[in-house]
Amino acid sequence: MSELSSALRILAALDPVEEAVARARAACTDLRWHNALRKRMSECRAEATVRAARSSAALEGARFPIAFVREVIAGAREVPDDLSGTQLSAAIRVAAVAQELSEKPDALRGGLAHVMSKLSLAAGAGLVPDEQLGRPRLAGEEPGDLGGLPQAPGPAEVADRIGQLDELLADPTLPGLVVAAILQGEVIALRPFVVGNGLIARALFRIQLVSAGVDPTGVGVPEAAFLSDVQGYGQAGAAYTSGADVPGWIVSCATAVEKGAGEGRTVCQAVQAGKLPKTA
């Protein structure tokens, strides 16, 4: 067992973390057995992807009504020709990649760098030159997003810590939700790419939650929970980045999963009642 795996087990065993993870798992289990998922799983997952993309875009400052985002994804509307539109397009692309990858069991195991590269291409298109996409920052390049955090580490430390994340993902006995929280926190802390780090961090969180079986339905929307408390989300991320409160970050992520399962139930109820437009 690696030193990092041992440290993560200690974090997972802390009472506040263990209790928050248990609540999140119970909420996801309850969601899993919703009647709408028996015959209309694909519709529910599609709507969850809409809401995930909309929430993640809004966290980057690109706020659009859910109906507008739904129409854009359906091809019925075009995004504005401005920065907010570009950010929304990026969030939609990232959400689509996350949905595709999350359907594979243990999607991140043994291939984290490849997945991150794919997400970078989706997150940064139209925002920076193509040669800066799909690869971590080089020496002298600084991240252009997630401002207000301590200075991002250099390329060597980024590569080392991503390698350590691969070690965590290689251990199937570690709690999936805690690993997902660490994945998201590390990308926020490292900001390994020139742009799109926030979108990528949340996408990895979603992929791990679904592919590791925490929320096997993929209908939970923790991104909506993060959006509902932007200040708290930012503060928890900053505390993780500085090392001041790693357990608190994990608890905040678990709470978002719990609340996101509630959003998932709302999705299921809307699908079951036929309240979503056919473009969804």
Side-chain angles (χ1 to χ4, degrees), residues 45-80 84-96 99 199 221 223 227 263 276-280:
R45 289 199 74 169
E47 177 63 14
T49 299
V50 170
R51 298 185 185 211
R54 186 257 175 181
S55 298
S56 205
L59 285 163
E60 299 300 312
R63 290 179 174 264
F64 291 90
I66 185 67
F68 178 85
V69 177
R70 194 181 290 120
E71 290 174 358
V72 169
I73 291 176
R77 295 284 291 272
E78 293 186 359
V79 298
S84 65
T86 302
Q87 287 281 16
L88 176 60
S89 294
I92 289 171
R93 290 191 300 268
V94 168
Q99 179 179 355
L199 294 177
V221 193
E223 298 88 347
L227 181 61
E263 181 78 4
L276 294 179
K278 292 183 180 180
T279 54

Side-chain angles (χ1 to χ4, degrees), residues 27-29 31-33 37 40-53 95-96 98-104 202-203 205-223 257 260-265 267-268:
C28 289
T29 298
L31 172 61
R32 184 177 184 177
W33 299 112
L37 299 180
R40 305 180 72 176
M41 171 76 84
S42 61
E43 292 174 67
C44 294
R45 289 199 74 169
E47 177 63 14
T49 299
V50 170
R51 298 185 185 211
Q99 179 179 355
E100 175 190 353
L101 292 175
S102 65
E103 294 175 357
K104 303 174 183 178
R202 289 184 290 277
F205 185 64
R206 168 172 285 275
I207 293 168
Q208 176 65 9
L209 289 174
V210 180
S211 69
V214 179
D215 173 22
T217 70
V219 178
V221 193
E223 298 88 347
V257 172
E263 181 78 4
R265 287 192 293 275
V267 168
C268 291

Side-chain angles (χ1 to χ4, degrees), residues 60-169:
E60 299 300 312
R63 290 179 174 264
F64 291 90
I66 185 67
F68 178 85
V69 177
R70 194 181 290 120
E71 290 174 358
V72 169
I73 291 176
R77 295 284 291 272
E78 293 186 359
V79 298
D81 185 18
D82 56 18
L83 180 58
S84 65
T86 302
Q87 287 281 16
L88 176 60
S89 294
I92 289 171
R93 290 191 300 268
V94 168
V97 172
Q99 179 179 355
E100 175 190 353
L101 292 175
S102 65
E103 294 175 357
K104 303 174 183 178
D106 298 312
L108 301 177
R109 187 174 299 167
L112 178 60
H114 175 72
V115 171
M116 291 177 70
S117 176
K118 189 171 184 177
L119 289 169
S120 170
L121 291 169
L127 292 169
V128 295
D130 290 349
E131 58 266 25
Q132 291 187 312
L133 299 177
R135 57 144 177 91
R137 291 181 289 109
L138 302 178
E141 293 180 333
E142 297 295 331
D145 62 343
L146 297 177
L149 296 174
Q151 184 175 1
E157 183 177 345
V158 168
D160 179 63
R161 287 169 66 172
I162 289 176
Q164 292 181 51
L165 291 176
D166 267 320
E167 290 181 24
L168 289 183
L169 290 163

